Amino acid sequence: QPQPPAPETVASVSVAPAAATLQLGGATTAQLAATVTGSRGSVLTGRTVVWSSGDATRATVSSAGLVTAVAAGTATITATVDGRTGTA
């Protein structure tokens, strides 16, 4: 009996939009989305994305990828899936 194919591993994670400008007193949130591409080139769904902010004193990010401006400045937001990362 043939074995089922091994699960596809994560090859890359991309984040869209790649950049967002938020202004205190203006648009203070932005929704990011992560696209997970597998080792066979297909888009993988149902994978857990862990979001993080490189500078939470400037911007925070929720577990759903919603970025909120906290103070003026720049912050890199990272999406991590199975050890692979993408940034915005």
Side-chain angles (χ1 to χ4, degrees):
Q1 173 136 334
Q3 294 293 319
E8 194 166 358
T9 59
V10 174
S12 66
V13 178
S14 60
V15 177
T21 301
L22 304 178
Q23 298 177 341
L24 297 173
T28 59
T29 63
Q31 180 65 57
L32 301 182
T35 300
V36 182
T37 303
S39 55
R40 297 184 196 116
S42 60
V43 173
L44 304 179
T45 58
R47 301 294 175 113
T48 300
V49 179
V50 177
W51 294 95
S52 60
S53 173
D55 188 347
T57 67
R58 305 278 187 228
T60 59
V61 61
S62 74
S63 60
L66 182 67
V67 179
T68 302
V70 176
T74 302
T76 299
I77 305 300
T78 303
T80 304
V81 180
D82 293 351
R84 300 286 184 180
T85 60
T87 59

